[in-house]
């Protein structure tokens, strides 16, 4: 089993959109964006979601939509030529990937919008106790978790922000 060439992992509630293609895709030099999300892969609105996200990719990247479990099952079959950008919309999904054996070492947190029951820890990131628990599980697995909306910003530790918020 080979280790997949994962060049970036990001949490963004919006999943694949223009900012991912324009800033993060170019910054990471990815050639494949893997949207690891159960709803986008096989939910009732999957076809609609995928169409919008494929349009956002602008044809510059190969795009795949896998459930969390399928990602765990097939990621190690990736070609070494694939420079994979893993995109999830929750820290729980990233934690499930890591606990399932996906070799993620860093998780970039971009957009987790404020909802009832969440507290804002950065301009674009709000968390609840379940999110914090998932980040703690990731850190225990050796994954660095940082908030950084765009590449020109300085990364900040998610858990440190959560404690100080």
């Amino acid at each position: 089993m080979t280790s997949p060439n994962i060049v970036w992992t990001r949490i963004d509630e919006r999943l694949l959109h223009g900012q991912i293609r324009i800033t993060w895709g170019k910054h990471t030099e990815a050639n494949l964006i893997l949207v690891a999300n159960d709803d986008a892969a096989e939910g009732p609105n999957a076809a609609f979601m995928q169409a919008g996200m494929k349009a956002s990719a602008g044809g510059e990247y190969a795009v795949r939509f896998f459930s969390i479990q399928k990602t765990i099952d097939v990621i190690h079959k990736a070609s070494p030529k694939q420079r994979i950008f893993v995109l999830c919309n929750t820290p729980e999904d990233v934690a499930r990937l890591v606990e399932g054996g996906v070799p993620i070492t860093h998780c970039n947190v971009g957009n987790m919008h404020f909802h009832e029951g969440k507290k804002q820890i950065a301009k674009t990131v709000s968390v609840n106790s379940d999110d914090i628990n998932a980040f703690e599980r990731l850190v225990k697995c050796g994954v660095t978790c940082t908030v950084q909306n765009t590449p020109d910003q300085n990364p900040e530790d998610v858990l440190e922000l959560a404690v100080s918020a």
Side-chain angles (χ1 to χ4, degrees):
M1 202 162 37
T2 63
S3 187
N5 187 9
I6 297 173
V7 296
W8 200 248
T9 301
R10 180 174 170 93
I11 296 171
D12 195 315
E13 243 179 50
R14 302 169 294 176
L15 293 171
L16 179 51
H17 54 89
Q19 182 187 35
I20 299 296
R21 175 177 60 88
I22 293 166
T23 58
W24 287 108
K26 289 180 183 2
H27 176 75
T28 63
E29 299 179 352
N31 61 18
L32 170 67
I33 297 176
L34 170 56
V35 178
N37 178 269
D38 292 345
D39 288 335
E42 48 195 34
N45 297 316
F48 176 75
M49 291 174 71
Q50 290 178 19
M53 287 187 263
K54 284 179 184 175
S56 292
E60 294 176 48
Y61 305 93
V63 181
R64 302 287 183 275
F65 300 92
F66 292 166
S67 68
I68 298 301
Q69 189 57 53
K70 182 173 181 178
T71 302
I72 291 166
D73 293 344
V74 304
I75 194 78
H76 291 283
K77 297 176 184 175
S79 164
K81 294 178 184 176
Q82 291 176 313
R83 297 181 46 81
I84 305 168
F85 185 127
V86 177
L87 188 56
C88 294
N89 72 345
T90 68
E92 178 62 28
D93 283 351
V94 179
R96 288 175 55 205
L97 290 174
V98 171
E99 291 165 353
V102 177
I104 293 170
T105 58
H106 178 261
C107 179
N108 163 255
V109 184
N111 288 287
M112 293 175 60
H113 299 109
F114 180 81
H115 300 286
E116 189 68 34
K118 291 195 173 204
K119 69 176 180 176
Q120 187 173 9
I121 63 169
K123 183 178 179 182
T124 61
V125 178
S126 296
V127 297
N128 62 23
S129 59
D130 291 338
D131 298 327
I132 292 170
N133 175 268
F135 284 123
E136 288 172 343
R137 288 167 34 216
L138 285 164
V139 170
K140 283 182 184 172
C141 290
V143 179
T144 303
C145 301
T146 58
V147 173
Q148 185 181 13
N149 200 35
T150 58
D152 62 327
Q153 295 175 338
N154 290 324
E156 298 180 80
D157 185 271
V158 170
L159 293 177
E160 288 179 15
L161 290 171
V163 168
S164 63

PDB file of all heavy atoms in Angstrom, residues 103-122:
ATOM      1  N   PRO A 103      -3.549   9.407   5.900  1.00  0.00           N
ATOM      2  CA  PRO A 103      -2.359  10.053   6.463  1.00  0.00           C
ATOM      3  C   PRO A 103      -2.360  11.585   6.306  1.00  0.00           C
ATOM      4  O   PRO A 103      -1.662  12.151   5.478  1.00  0.00           O
ATOM      5  CB  PRO A 103      -1.206   9.409   5.699  1.00  0.00           C
ATOM      6  CG  PRO A 103      -1.807   9.088   4.366  1.00  0.00           C
ATOM      7  CD  PRO A 103      -3.242   8.717   4.646  1.00  0.00           C
ATOM      8  N   ILE A 104      -3.142  12.227   7.144  1.00  0.00           N
ATOM      9  CA  ILE A 104      -3.218  13.687   7.161  1.00  0.00           C
ATOM     10  C   ILE A 104      -2.366  14.166   8.330  1.00  0.00           C
ATOM     11  O   ILE A 104      -2.505  13.667   9.447  1.00  0.00           O
ATOM     12  CB  ILE A 104      -4.679  14.148   7.323  1.00  0.00           C
ATOM     13  CG1 ILE A 104      -5.479  13.773   6.071  1.00  0.00           C
ATOM     14  CG2 ILE A 104      -4.754  15.653   7.613  1.00  0.00           C
ATOM     15  CD1 ILE A 104      -6.981  13.951   6.214  1.00  0.00           C
ATOM     16  N   THR A 105      -1.484  15.134   8.063  1.00  0.00           N
ATOM     17  CA  THR A 105      -0.616  15.655   9.122  1.00  0.00           C
ATOM     18  C   THR A 105      -0.952  17.091   9.503  1.00  0.00           C
ATOM     19  O   THR A 105      -0.560  17.564  10.559  1.00  0.00           O
ATOM     20  CB  THR A 105       0.870  15.590   8.708  1.00  0.00           C
ATOM     21  OG1 THR A 105       1.040  16.349   7.500  1.00  0.00           O
ATOM     22  CG2 THR A 105       1.302  14.150   8.490  1.00  0.00           C
ATOM     23  N   HIS A 106      -1.652  17.782   8.603  1.00  0.00           N
ATOM     24  CA  HIS A 106      -2.026  19.173   8.869  1.00  0.00           C
ATOM     25  C   HIS A 106      -3.446  19.405   8.370  1.00  0.00           C
ATOM     26  O   HIS A 106      -3.815  18.936   7.294  1.00  0.00           O
ATOM     27  CB  HIS A 106      -1.084  20.148   8.163  1.00  0.00           C
ATOM     28  CG  HIS A 106      -1.479  21.575   8.371  1.00  0.00           C
ATOM     29  ND1 HIS A 106      -2.190  22.278   7.434  1.00  0.00           N
ATOM     30  CD2 HIS A 106      -1.297  22.412   9.418  1.00  0.00           C
ATOM     31  CE1 HIS A 106      -2.419  23.508   7.893  1.00  0.00           C
ATOM     32  NE2 HIS A 106      -1.884  23.600   9.095  1.00  0.00           N
ATOM     33  N   CYS A 107      -4.212  20.136   9.155  1.00  0.00           N
ATOM     34  CA  CYS A 107      -5.571  20.492   8.771  1.00  0.00           C
ATOM     35  C   CYS A 107      -5.714  22.006   8.843  1.00  0.00           C
ATOM     36  O   CYS A 107      -5.555  22.600   9.906  1.00  0.00           O
ATOM     37  CB  CYS A 107      -6.581  19.809   9.690  1.00  0.00           C
ATOM     38  SG  CYS A 107      -8.290  20.244   9.293  1.00  0.00           S
ATOM     39  N   ASN A 108      -6.003  22.596   7.703  1.00  0.00           N
ATOM     40  CA  ASN A 108      -6.236  24.035   7.591  1.00  0.00           C
ATOM     41  C   ASN A 108      -7.727  24.288   7.783  1.00  0.00           C
ATOM     42  O   ASN A 108      -8.554  23.636   7.157  1.00  0.00           O
ATOM     43  CB  ASN A 108      -5.782  24.499   6.203  1.00  0.00           C
ATOM     44  CG  ASN A 108      -6.334  25.850   5.828  1.00  0.00           C
ATOM     45  OD1 ASN A 108      -7.254  25.935   5.016  1.00  0.00           O
ATOM     46  ND2 ASN A 108      -5.785  26.892   6.393  1.00  0.00           N
ATOM     47  N   VAL A 109      -8.059  25.209   8.670  1.00  0.00           N
ATOM     48  CA  VAL A 109      -9.456  25.555   8.915  1.00  0.00           C
ATOM     49  C   VAL A 109      -9.715  26.914   8.300  1.00  0.00           C
ATOM     50  O   VAL A 109      -9.049  27.899   8.641  1.00  0.00           O
ATOM     51  CB  VAL A 109      -9.776  25.573  10.424  1.00  0.00           C
ATOM     52  CG1 VAL A 109     -11.260  25.835  10.642  1.00  0.00           C
ATOM     53  CG2 VAL A 109      -9.351  24.268  11.082  1.00  0.00           C
ATOM     54  N   GLY A 110     -10.665  26.963   7.370  1.00  0.00           N
ATOM     55  CA  GLY A 110     -10.950  28.203   6.676  1.00  0.00           C
ATOM     56  C   GLY A 110     -12.266  28.836   7.059  1.00  0.00           C
ATOM     57  O   GLY A 110     -12.302  29.960   7.532  1.00  0.00           O
ATOM     58  N   ASN A 111     -13.346  28.118   6.859  1.00  0.00           N
ATOM     59  CA  ASN A 111     -14.667  28.680   7.113  1.00  0.00           C
ATOM     60  C   ASN A 111     -15.567  27.684   7.842  1.00  0.00           C
ATOM     61  O   ASN A 111     -15.904  26.639   7.303  1.00  0.00           O
ATOM     62  CB  ASN A 111     -15.343  29.077   5.792  1.00  0.00           C
ATOM     63  CG  ASN A 111     -14.709  30.291   5.178  1.00  0.00           C
ATOM     64  OD1 ASN A 111     -14.879  31.397   5.659  1.00  0.00           O
ATOM     65  ND2 ASN A 111     -13.950  30.080   4.117  1.00  0.00           N
ATOM     66  N   MET A 112     -15.900  28.038   9.061  1.00  0.00           N
ATOM     67  CA  MET A 112     -16.903  27.310   9.840  1.00  0.00           C
ATOM     68  C   MET A 112     -17.816  28.403  10.397  1.00  0.00           C
ATOM     69  O   MET A 112     -17.474  29.075  11.359  1.00  0.00           O
ATOM     70  CB  MET A 112     -16.256  26.496  10.968  1.00  0.00           C
ATOM     71  CG  MET A 112     -15.398  25.349  10.475  1.00  0.00           C
ATOM     72  SD  MET A 112     -14.522  24.474  11.804  1.00  0.00           S
ATOM     73  CE  MET A 112     -15.881  23.905  12.820  1.00  0.00           C
ATOM     74  N   HIS A 113     -18.938  28.595   9.744  1.00  0.00           N
ATOM     75  CA  HIS A 113     -19.810  29.718  10.044  1.00  0.00           C
ATOM     76  C   HIS A 113     -20.452  29.638  11.423  1.00  0.00           C
ATOM     77  O   HIS A 113     -20.616  28.552  11.977  1.00  0.00           O
ATOM     78  CB  HIS A 113     -20.892  29.838   8.971  1.00  0.00           C
ATOM     79  CG  HIS A 113     -20.330  30.080   7.619  1.00  0.00           C
ATOM     80  ND1 HIS A 113     -20.337  29.130   6.631  1.00  0.00           N
ATOM     81  CD2 HIS A 113     -19.699  31.163   7.092  1.00  0.00           C
ATOM     82  CE1 HIS A 113     -19.765  29.615   5.552  1.00  0.00           C
ATOM     83  NE2 HIS A 113     -19.363  30.840   5.808  1.00  0.00           N
ATOM     84  N   PHE A 114     -20.827  30.797  11.915  1.00  0.00           N
ATOM     85  CA  PHE A 114     -21.522  30.870  13.196  1.00  0.00           C
ATOM     86  C   PHE A 114     -22.933  30.321  13.032  1.00  0.00           C
ATOM     87  O   PHE A 114     -23.645  30.649  12.087  1.00  0.00           O
ATOM     88  CB  PHE A 114     -21.589  32.319  13.702  1.00  0.00           C
ATOM     89  CG  PHE A 114     -22.308  32.435  15.013  1.00  0.00           C
ATOM     90  CD1 PHE A 114     -21.648  32.158  16.197  1.00  0.00           C
ATOM     91  CD2 PHE A 114     -23.651  32.771  15.069  1.00  0.00           C
ATOM     92  CE1 PHE A 114     -22.296  32.226  17.416  1.00  0.00           C
ATOM     93  CE2 PHE A 114     -24.320  32.847  16.275  1.00  0.00           C
ATOM     94  CZ  PHE A 114     -23.637  32.575  17.447  1.00  0.00           C
ATOM     95  N   HIS A 115     -23.321  29.450  13.954  1.00  0.00           N
ATOM     96  CA  HIS A 115     -24.678  28.918  14.054  1.00  0.00           C
ATOM     97  C   HIS A 115     -25.034  28.925  15.532  1.00  0.00           C
ATOM     98  O   HIS A 115     -24.151  29.016  16.392  1.00  0.00           O
ATOM     99  CB  HIS A 115     -24.766  27.474  13.526  1.00  0.00           C
ATOM    100  CG  HIS A 115     -24.374  27.316  12.087  1.00  0.00           C
ATOM    101  ND1 HIS A 115     -25.159  27.722  11.046  1.00  0.00           N
ATOM    102  CD2 HIS A 115     -23.250  26.795  11.523  1.00  0.00           C
ATOM    103  CE1 HIS A 115     -24.548  27.457   9.899  1.00  0.00           C
ATOM    104  NE2 HIS A 115     -23.391  26.892  10.161  1.00  0.00           N
ATOM    105  N   GLU A 116     -26.291  28.797  15.821  1.00  0.00           N
ATOM    106  CA  GLU A 116     -26.739  28.726  17.218  1.00  0.00           C
ATOM    107  C   GLU A 116     -25.947  27.655  17.958  1.00  0.00           C
ATOM    108  O   GLU A 116     -25.759  26.552  17.459  1.00  0.00           O
ATOM    109  CB  GLU A 116     -28.238  28.385  17.271  1.00  0.00           C
ATOM    110  CG  GLU A 116     -28.853  28.497  18.638  1.00  0.00           C
ATOM    111  CD  GLU A 116     -28.927  29.918  19.165  1.00  0.00           C
ATOM    112  OE1 GLU A 116     -29.126  30.847  18.357  1.00  0.00           O
ATOM    113  OE2 GLU A 116     -28.769  30.104  20.385  1.00  0.00           O
ATOM    114  N   GLY A 117     -25.439  28.003  19.132  1.00  0.00           N
ATOM    115  CA  GLY A 117     -24.678  27.057  19.942  1.00  0.00           C
ATOM    116  C   GLY A 117     -23.184  27.062  19.677  1.00  0.00           C
ATOM    117  O   GLY A 117     -22.442  26.302  20.292  1.00  0.00           O
ATOM    118  N   LYS A 118     -22.736  27.889  18.739  1.00  0.00           N
ATOM    119  CA  LYS A 118     -21.305  27.974  18.445  1.00  0.00           C
ATOM    120  C   LYS A 118     -20.750  29.294  18.963  1.00  0.00           C
ATOM    121  O   LYS A 118     -21.476  30.270  19.103  1.00  0.00           O
ATOM    122  CB  LYS A 118     -21.048  27.878  16.938  1.00  0.00           C
ATOM    123  CG  LYS A 118     -21.339  26.495  16.377  1.00  0.00           C
ATOM    124  CD  LYS A 118     -20.742  26.335  15.005  1.00  0.00           C
ATOM    125  CE  LYS A 118     -20.906  24.895  14.533  1.00  0.00           C
ATOM    126  NZ  LYS A 118     -19.904  24.553  13.539  1.00  0.00           N
ATOM    127  N   LYS A 119     -19.432  29.280  19.238  1.00  0.00           N
ATOM    128  CA  LYS A 119     -18.773  30.530  19.619  1.00  0.00           C
ATOM    129  C   LYS A 119     -17.731  30.860  18.566  1.00  0.00           C
ATOM    130  O   LYS A 119     -17.050  29.982  18.036  1.00  0.00           O
ATOM    131  CB  LYS A 119     -18.151  30.440  21.019  1.00  0.00           C
ATOM    132  CG  LYS A 119     -16.956  29.518  21.136  1.00  0.00           C
ATOM    133  CD  LYS A 119     -16.354  29.579  22.530  1.00  0.00           C
ATOM    134  CE  LYS A 119     -15.160  28.641  22.634  1.00  0.00           C
ATOM    135  NZ  LYS A 119     -14.495  28.737  23.921  1.00  0.00           N
ATOM    136  N   GLN A 120     -17.632  32.144  18.273  1.00  0.00           N
ATOM    137  CA  GLN A 120     -16.692  32.603  17.265  1.00  0.00           C
ATOM    138  C   GLN A 120     -15.298  32.653  17.869  1.00  0.00           C
ATOM    139  O   GLN A 120     -15.092  33.269  18.908  1.00  0.00           O
ATOM    140  CB  GLN A 120     -17.102  33.974  16.744  1.00  0.00           C
ATOM    141  CG  GLN A 120     -16.261  34.430  15.587  1.00  0.00           C
ATOM    142  CD  GLN A 120     -16.777  35.718  14.967  1.00  0.00           C
ATOM    143  OE1 GLN A 120     -17.667  36.371  15.485  1.00  0.00           O
ATOM    144  NE2 GLN A 120     -16.206  36.073  13.826  1.00  0.00           N
ATOM    145  N   ILE A 121     -14.333  31.995  17.197  1.00  0.00           N
ATOM    146  CA  ILE A 121     -12.947  32.004  17.680  1.00  0.00           C
ATOM    147  C   ILE A 121     -12.012  32.750  16.736  1.00  0.00           C
ATOM    148  O   ILE A 121     -10.890  33.059  17.085  1.00  0.00           O
ATOM    149  CB  ILE A 121     -12.421  30.569  17.939  1.00  0.00           C
ATOM    150  CG1 ILE A 121     -12.374  29.744  16.651  1.00  0.00           C
ATOM    151  CG2 ILE A 121     -13.268  29.879  19.021  1.00  0.00           C
ATOM    152  CD1 ILE A 121     -11.618  28.433  16.779  1.00  0.00           C
ATOM    153  N   ALA A 122     -12.478  33.008  15.517  1.00  0.00           N
ATOM    154  CA  ALA A 122     -11.732  33.784  14.524  1.00  0.00           C
ATOM    155  C   ALA A 122     -12.763  34.404  13.590  1.00  0.00           C
ATOM    156  O   ALA A 122     -13.941  34.034  13.633  1.00  0.00           O
ATOM    157  CB  ALA A 122     -10.761  32.881  13.755  1.00  0.00           C
TER     158      ALA A 122
END
